[in-house]
Amino acid sequence: MVSHSELKNLFCSADAVCFDVDSTVIQEEGIDELAKFCGVEDAVSEMTRRAMGGAVPFKAALTERLSLIQPSREQVQRLLAEHPPHLTPGIRELVSRLQERNVQVFLISGGFRSIVEHVASKLNIPSTNVFANRLKFYFNGEYAGFDETQPTAESGGKGKVIKFLKEKFHFKKIIMVGDGATDMEACPPADAFIGFGGNVIRQQVKDNAEWYITDFIELLGALEE
């Protein structure tokens, strides 16, 4: 059991901080917003809730939801143009402060790369620091599935990404920040996990995270101490 002060020290001395995106860096769940835009919101949000609670294997839930939504390339582009995701208050300042300290910031998401790269650009995070699922489209723009080879398409995928980052960049301390069960599962190999409940509270995460926050100001404050 790591003490709260040890966790703070770990966070303040990390080489890299990885953030989940949906309901963490942004206020929405990207897949639910896409479902709403495509007119199948209710069925899909129930599946998302079950998947985030850890009740359904992630790839099965993703496959099932996408087969309901069937998003075209044009619909994804229109969603970003007409209903861009809203950044969670405090995240822009937190990412900026971490970057000033030469900490590498990564976005690791079970959501879609086209949406996550849009978010990354708002935070000055390079697209090479984005790990997310890729939607596939036929030449006419219709939905053709998703890239099942991406580690983020599987349960435990976020942990695989963190293991890869440690091997590639020789990071000594990586912190994972997120709202869901799939984020908490990534520690280990992450050296610490910080649960985030500023947009939605997942009881399993609140009960089990050793450091649980509802506002990014708390992390900013830890860096300033």
Side-chain angles (χ1 to χ4, degrees):
M1 191 75 174
V2 184
S3 75
H4 193 253
S5 63
E6 284 174 307
L7 271 174
K8 267 191 174 175
N9 289 339
L10 262 174
F11 175 68
C12 294
S13 59
D15 312 292
V17 177
C18 301
F19 289 93
D20 170 51
V21 177
D22 294 326
S23 296
T24 299
V25 168
I26 62 172
Q27 296 174 37
E28 304 88 354
E29 284 287 327
I31 195 163
D32 290 351
E33 293 304 300
L34 193 54
K36 191 189 298 182
F37 197 74
C38 298
V40 288
E41 177 186 10
D42 291 348
V44 170
S45 56
E46 171 57 20
M47 285 183 202
T48 299
R49 195 184 59 70
R50 281 167 44 222
M52 288 308 295
V56 185
F58 187 80
K59 188 185 273 188
L62 186 61
T63 304
E64 202 179 346
R65 288 177 291 176
L66 281 170
S67 63
L68 265 178
I69 303 169
Q70 296 274 323
S72 67
R73 181 186 280 124
E74 187 205 359
Q75 283 172 316
V76 175
Q77 289 167 346
R78 277 180 47 218
L79 172 70
L80 286 172
E82 296 171 24
H83 303 281
H86 297 90
L87 292 176
T88 300
I91 189 64
R92 197 189 294 272
E93 295 80 0
L94 178 58
V95 168
S96 176
R97 189 77 191 90
L98 288 166
Q99 289 169 333
E100 283 168 16
R101 293 165 67 104
N102 295 317
V103 176
Q104 285 285 326
V105 177
F106 295 89
L107 299 181
I108 307 180
S109 174
F112 308 122
R113 191 170 184 96
S114 44
I115 296 173
V116 177
E117 282 188 343
H118 176 86
V119 173
S121 70
K122 302 278 181 234
L123 296 170
N124 296 316
I125 295 171
S127 60
T128 48
N129 286 23
V130 169
F131 293 84
N133 289 316
R134 291 177 187 274
L135 292 171
K136 296 198 294 195
F137 303 101
Y138 291 112
F139 69 93
N140 63 356
E142 285 180 8
Y143 175 67
F146 64 97
D147 181 354
E148 297 190 23
T149 66
Q150 294 296 316
T152 47
E154 307 247 9
S155 296
K158 291 177 181 178
K160 287 180 190 155
V161 172
I162 289 173
K163 184 171 181 286
F164 164 77
L165 292 175
K166 281 192 158 185
E167 287 168 0
K168 184 176 180 183
F169 297 108
H170 308 291
F171 293 133
K172 298 279 186 288
K173 296 176 196 168
I174 297 189
I175 312 297
M176 181 73 207
V177 182
D179 68 285
T182 58
D183 307 312
M184 194 161 59
E185 283 168 5
C187 177
D191 299 279
F193 168 68
I194 300 169
F196 181 73
N199 293 310
V200 62
I201 291 174
R202 318 262 183 212
Q203 201 58 44
Q204 182 190 357
V205 176
K206 187 179 183 186
D207 292 346
N208 293 292
E210 288 167 354
W211 189 2
Y212 191 79
I213 61 169
T214 55
D215 197 317
F216 286 127
I217 301 300
E218 190 173 336
L219 296 185
L220 265 172
L223 293 175
E224 304 303 335
E225 282 174 12

